Amino acid sequence: MGVNDILGRPLRDLRISVTDRCNFRCTYCMPKSVFGRDHAFMPRRELLSFEEIERVARVFAGLGVRKIRLTGGEPLLRAQIESLVSMLAAIPRLELTLTTNGALLARKAAALRDAGLTRVTVSLDSLDDATFRAMNDVDFPVADVLAGIDAAAGTGLPVKVNAVVRRGVNDHGVVDLARCFRGSGHAVRFIEFMDVGATNGWRLDDVVPAAEIVERIGSVFPLEPAEAAYRGEVARRFRYLDGAGEIGVIASVTQPFCGDCTRARISAEGKLYTCLFARRGTDLRALLREQGASDAELHERISGVWLRRDDRYSELRTEQTAATPKIEMSYIGG
Ligand code: SAM
């Protein structure tokens, strides 16, 4: 059933980007200087159709994938995304999640829950309205994202909150984020700013180490480390001593976890990548559309890619590698 790569890592998770478009222009992800009004996004026909995504997802499930995350761009911009969710929810033994900026979540939450989504992750970098509007760079108010979170929770969907922390930009608000979601049942995960892509001007100085984030929050709300829930869990979890829940930190820069990385990623146009920092992908769409591959052939090709995998970019990262050309986060999905 399952396949292990050269470093012994099993294939367990699949992230599927369903669009390269986004309604935010987060300065660290899709800066307006690059993704401005005249930026050419992919034409619709270039995107994998829902049927193509479902077929590929079933093959991945047959190779051991147990969790699929829909991402983007902004996945809620893809028309009828709930139809895709219900198609994927029909695949047995699969956890099905989606990462969103939350802008359209209040409108979509009930349909997503009804379609069979297991959980939703909402990206929210700051509770301070001015900071949030400046980071999303489309003047989107934080209150509307909070309303989306409430709407999702109101339908019974479990919610996680992800915050990317950049020094001097939003790091002053990490304790406020922790305070806001303590006791709510929604775990907040703080993510170190990564050198994804080539357009965000990443510098090591911008990274707030996860250890510092834990220390800052722990000095206000005492914390203790919690056990990893499963192999390959990217977040290190910490529990509030007073029982008000937990936070997570994703220390991909200061404490890389390539050794436990069980994730494959598919871009909106159907390229398969085995690392967020990859430069080249495998064209699954050509296999599906041009070569008319059977499921067995798809299985063979994907398992071949995984069997040959030996990437571990984050463990090898230096200031120099950070400047090498890489694909953008908005293309491959977070
Ligand atoms: N639009 C959706 C959203 O906002 O969640 C899904 C796509 S977005 C690319 C996924 C996640 O990647 C977001 O939480 C975003 O903050 C994060 N992200 C983007 N660039 C990043 C970077 N350089 N370092 C760390 N996280 C990043």
Side-chain angles (χ1 to χ4, degrees), residues 78-104:
R78 180 88 186 243
Q80 295 300 319
I81 185 73
E82 56 277 20
S83 305
L84 175 63
V85 169
S86 70
M87 289 160 78
L88 297 177
I91 302 175
R93 294 183 302 281
L94 209 59
E95 198 183 322
L96 186 57
T97 70
L98 177 144
T99 298
T100 172
N101 59 29
L104 298 171

Side-chain angles (χ1 to χ4, degrees), residues 45 67 93 125 130 133 149 328:
R45 63 177 181 282
K67 183 158 119 192
R93 294 183 302 281
D125 297 335
R133 287 178 193 250
I149 292 174
E328 298 299 325

Side-chain angles (χ1 to χ4, degrees), residues 20-21 25 30 34-43 331:
D20 60 336
R21 286 163 206 261
R25 285 291 175 275
M30 292 182 75
V34 180
F35 298 91
R37 287 193 187 285
D38 51 356
H39 180 78
F41 287 99
M42 285 176 209
Y331 168 78

Side-chain angles (χ1 to χ4, degrees), residues 2 27 84 101 121 152 238 256 288 314:
T27 47
L84 175 63
N101 59 29
T121 300
F238 294 84
L288 291 164
S314 293

